[in-house]
Amino acid sequence: MDTRTIYESWLNEPTLDETTRAELRAISADAPEIEERFYRELEFGTAGLRGILGAGTNRMNAYVVRRATQGLSNFLLSCEGAKERGVCIAYDSRLFSPEFAKETACVLAANGIKTYLFSSLRSVPQLSFAVQHLNCMAGVVITASHNPSKYNGYKVYWAYGGQAAPEQASAIFDEIQRVPMFSPSVSDYDAAVASGMITLVGKEEDEAYYAATEQLLLDPDLVRRKGGDLPIVYTPLHGSGAVPVKELLTRVGLKNVIPVPEQSAPDGHFPTVTAPNPEDPNAFRLAIALAEEKGARVCLATDPDADRLGVAVKTKSNEWVTLTGNQIGCILLEHILSSMSRQKRLPDNGVVIKSIVSTRLADAICAAYGVSLENVMTGFRFIGEKVDEYQTSGEKTFLFGFEESFGFLAGGLARDKDAVSSAMLAAEACISYAERGMTLSDALDEIYATYGFYNESVKSYTLEGKEGMEKIAGAMAKLRELPPKVFANTKVVIAEDYLARRCERSDGTVCEMALPKSDTLRWLLADESWIVIRPSGTEPKLKLYIGARAKTKEQLTATLSALMQDVDGLLKGYLG
């Protein structure tokens, strides 16, 4: 069916609300806009749905949410005990998040599936924890994470508290595709609440999460004694972290947490930032200004669903720097391992898990403490699955997991990125290093002095729409057809294709790879540098990751610059 026909079917749908009908009428003469909104359905990947808000099959709206939930319901009804165990639903501060959460609950209720709906916005880690605590079969979070305000999304979690596995996501997508767009039944919300099919939850689940998370502190006595001495500026960037982060930090004894007033209230328009992304140094503009006023030397930031944590610190030269996700991850890792080692409670079977695109500095830190490190594919779901595997089997004790994209998890209470507990551990690390007269910037310098100089660089190529997706696919195809043998005059010693699950060494040796299939290419170079190229799983982007190790900072900078220039030129040629 062509896009114009699908557009007309929406426009003439009797059950369509008049606001959506008016939106569609307004684009009746705009063929490219109609094509963009209707040329495909939003893809249901392992992270669920994510798209621009608006009317159409390629947009996030109530009808797409209802259809996705009907598909999820159909899948759940094939799982033993799912109706009784039910689904927990949370949502963040984005536009239409509360409405989409209610739509989700009402469709589930219409299918006879017990539903637990948070009574107000909550973070991703709180949802992940609640799915386990309530013994639910699944969970849903309405969020688009750190994307600009025009986006929203629908993430599905499974009983273990992590995101749905590829097999489950594929089965759910198959069910969704069988559902006619306007066919799902929707229960009356008030009636469903009155009957008990929808149960509003909140305070009890919060208390359970806080009580469990407090136990992750490495030195709670130190935090209680010194927690009032260290001012810390915190911004939730208009998102769901405002309550849980401030509450948890206060509970453990941090009495001088200073919120950024302009960014503390939930607001899906995110008026003070271009994008509510703690990876972006510009997101810290107001926090740093407040820190200067209050005499603080550290700022923490979380994104709208509070799964990502950003950190900015003031150096000894009184300059503010925003740490990368790799740097935050390694500071937290060193803090956790050194504290546990000092207290003689580092387990013999301890394990740290990171993604293949994250820094190799973590490997060096783990080796120094005798802790095993495992690499998984990009996507925190893979870390969550490993956590669940080891906690179920008892084979290994999970200590810490992270991705370079500002996602961190300690202890495994949640099975996804947890910026709430990570903010607590980052604050504890600040206090611990302050006892030695150091800031987190000094801590990073000490880590480099101990383990060597490592650095990484990431670049994204955003290509929106149908044409953009085709260009990204074309670039990946060309890289496979003409595999590079040298980057920046440095020889490739290992080339890995995770889609073919094939590894080829420079001597011609070929081996099969154990990690799951993924449209990802990685090259390991003779000087210990590495390169990864992959399409984003959730955004219209091609992502480039580069990492290097060197004896000096100057040499490291030169190596990264040469590699970035070389690979960037190659990709721009392929992308056009």
Side-chain angles (χ1 to χ4, degrees):
M1 194 181 296
D2 66 84
T3 54
R4 186 80 202 189
T5 302
I6 301 171
Y7 163 77
E8 295 286 352
S9 72
W10 272 61
L11 191 62
N12 297 318
E13 167 59 39
T15 63
L16 194 74
D17 68 275
E18 288 308 309
T19 300
T20 302
R21 201 184 310 277
E23 182 181 338
L24 290 175
R25 284 187 182 129
I27 63 169
S28 61
D30 191 342
E33 181 66 14
I34 291 172
E35 171 76 12
E36 172 58 26
R37 286 175 181 243
F38 290 96
Y39 83 91
R40 67 166 190 165
E41 296 173 355
L42 281 183
E43 183 177 349
F44 191 94
T46 52
L49 303 170
R50 185 176 295 178
I52 296 170
L53 291 161
T57 58
N58 189 32
R59 292 290 187 269
M60 277 294 295
N61 52 69
Y63 304 102
V64 167
V65 168
R66 289 175 186 172
R67 183 177 183 239
T69 307
Q70 185 59 57
L72 173 62
S73 298
N74 293 345
F75 178 71
L76 286 169
L77 292 172
S78 71
C79 301
E80 186 177 352
K83 287 180 68 172
E84 296 75 24
R85 292 178 64 179
V87 179
C88 187
I89 304 168
Y91 59 92
D92 70 3
S93 60
R94 287 185 172 273
L95 302 175
F96 298 103
S97 281
E99 291 85 351
F100 291 165
K102 279 189 176 182
E103 295 282 4
T104 302
C106 289
V107 172
L108 288 166
N111 282 273
I113 298 170
K114 176 69 177 174
T115 303
Y116 300 91
L117 175 64
F118 273 105
S119 56
S120 59
L121 75 168
R122 290 300 190 283
S123 65
V124 157
Q126 288 173 287
L127 180 279
S128 175
F129 180 86
V131 167
Q132 302 168 75
H133 191 251
L134 292 166
N135 192 34
C136 291
M137 184 63 79
V140 174
V141 183
I142 306 299
T143 179
S145 190
H146 57 292
N147 288 98
S149 60
K150 65 180 181 178
Y151 286 88
N152 210 331
Y154 181 106
K155 292 173 67 174
V156 176
Y157 288 74
W158 207 241
Y160 77 104
Q163 293 177 30
E167 300 79 14
Q168 292 163 333
S170 178
I172 293 168
F173 184 48
D174 288 345
E175 292 290 349
I176 293 170
Q177 289 183 303
R178 297 187 186 104
V179 177
M181 181 61 72
F182 297 98
S183 67
S185 298
V186 184
S187 291
D188 176 77
Y189 174 75
D190 291 331
V193 171
S195 71
M197 285 304 299
I198 297 175
T199 299
L200 297 179
V201 295
K203 185 175 181 181
E204 185 176 333
E205 298 311 311
D206 294 341
E207 288 298 322
Y209 173 77
Y210 294 142
T213 303
E214 285 182 53
Q215 303 306 310
L216 296 176
L217 278 177
L218 283 309
D219 195 343
D221 290 338
L222 174 66
V223 174
R224 278 193 292 271
R225 283 189 287 107
K226 299 291 186 178
D229 298 343
L230 188 72
I232 296 175
V233 169
Y234 166 65
T235 173
L237 297 177
H238 306 287
S240 63
V243 172
V245 171
K246 187 73 185 330
E247 176 68 20
L248 185 61
L249 294 184
T250 301
R251 284 185 180 219
V252 299
L254 289 148
K255 302 179 179 66
N256 202 0
V257 179
I258 307 163
V260 177
E262 301 94 329
Q263 297 174 328
S264 291
D267 190 335
H269 293 284
F270 310 119
T272 64
V273 290
T274 304
N277 187 356
E279 299 178 52
D280 182 0
N282 293 322
F284 281 92
R285 179 178 55 86
L286 292 175
I288 289 173
L290 183 61
E292 285 288 341
E293 177 188 332
K294 301 294 185 180
R297 299 186 71 87
V298 63
C299 301
L300 306 177
T302 55
D303 64 346
D305 57 352
D307 63 351
R308 283 176 167 85
L309 172 72
V311 179
V313 297
K314 197 172 189 180
T315 67
K316 283 182 176 176
S317 59
N318 288 323
E319 294 180 74
W320 282 94
V321 295
T322 50
L323 302 180
T324 69
N326 282 318
Q327 290 170 336
I328 298 167
C330 286
I331 288 171
L332 292 177
L333 177 59
E334 174 69 21
H335 171 61
I336 291 167
L337 297 188
S338 65
S339 297
M340 295 184 80
S341 177
R342 191 166 55 249
Q343 296 165 6
K344 301 190 184 305
R345 58 188 188 98
L346 197 59
D348 293 336
N349 66 345
V351 64
V352 170
I353 306 168
K354 71 175 181 68
S355 65
I356 63 166
V357 299
S358 301
T359 181
R360 288 185 169 186
L361 175 55
D363 301 60
I365 295 172
C366 287
Y369 289 98
V371 170
S372 66
L373 181 139
E374 294 186 20
N375 287 290
V376 295
M377 295 307 300
T378 307
F380 218 89
R381 175 182 62 77
F382 295 104
I383 295 176
E385 286 177 350
K386 278 289 184 182
V387 173
D388 186 61
E389 175 189 333
Y390 290 140
Q391 289 189 352
T392 300
S393 69
E395 178 187 349
K396 296 184 180 181
T397 300
F398 172 73
L399 301 175
F400 186 64
F402 78 98
E403 285 191 323
E404 57 78 35
S405 55
F406 291 67
F408 317 102
L409 176 66
L413 298 174
R415 301 291 167 80
D416 204 349
K417 301 182 287 288
D418 186 347
V420 181
S421 65
S422 298
M424 179 188 75
L425 290 171
E428 182 186 45
C430 287
I431 294 170
S432 180
Y433 280 109
E435 285 289 276
R436 298 168 55 195
M438 299 167 63
T439 66
L440 293 189
S441 175
D442 302 324
L444 192 60
D445 289 339
E446 183 178 79
I447 288 171
Y448 289 144
T450 303
Y451 303 105
F453 292 99
Y454 292 77
N455 201 1
E456 298 74 33
S457 187
V458 181
K459 183 166 184 175
S460 295
Y461 303 81
T462 301
L463 297 99
E464 294 195 359
K466 182 180 179 183
E467 183 182 356
M469 300 291 282
E470 290 171 350
K471 285 184 176 181
I472 289 172
M476 294 300 292
K478 288 173 184 174
L479 288 165
R480 289 187 167 96
E481 291 166 10
L482 300 168
K485 302 296 183 184
V486 173
F487 289 100
N489 298 317
T490 304
K491 183 180 178 182
V492 173
V493 293
I494 300 176
E496 299 172 337
D497 185 341
Y498 290 85
L499 193 60
R501 299 180 75 182
R502 182 176 185 272
C503 168
E504 182 175 353
R505 300 180 184 276
S506 55
D507 63 4
T509 306
V510 175
C511 62
E512 187 175 338
M513 300 171 65
L515 291 177
K517 278 190 174 184
S518 171
D519 190 6
T520 300
L521 296 168
R522 182 166 79 150
W523 297 270
L524 308 180
L525 310 188
D527 63 354
E528 297 187 62
S529 300
W530 55 270
I531 297 159
V532 173
I533 298 173
R534 69 175 187 94
S536 170
T538 56
E539 301 169 276
K541 293 179 179 181
L542 184 66
K543 303 199 77 172
L544 165 63
Y545 308 82
I546 292 172
R549 180 182 185 275
K551 292 181 179 179
T552 66
K553 285 185 178 180
E554 293 74 20
Q555 186 181 358
L556 187 60
T557 300
T559 299
L560 276 177
S561 177
L563 283 172
M564 179 57 75
Q565 185 175 354
D566 189 11
V567 186
D568 182 51
L570 178 67
L571 289 180
K572 283 180 176 175
Y574 285 161
L575 293 170

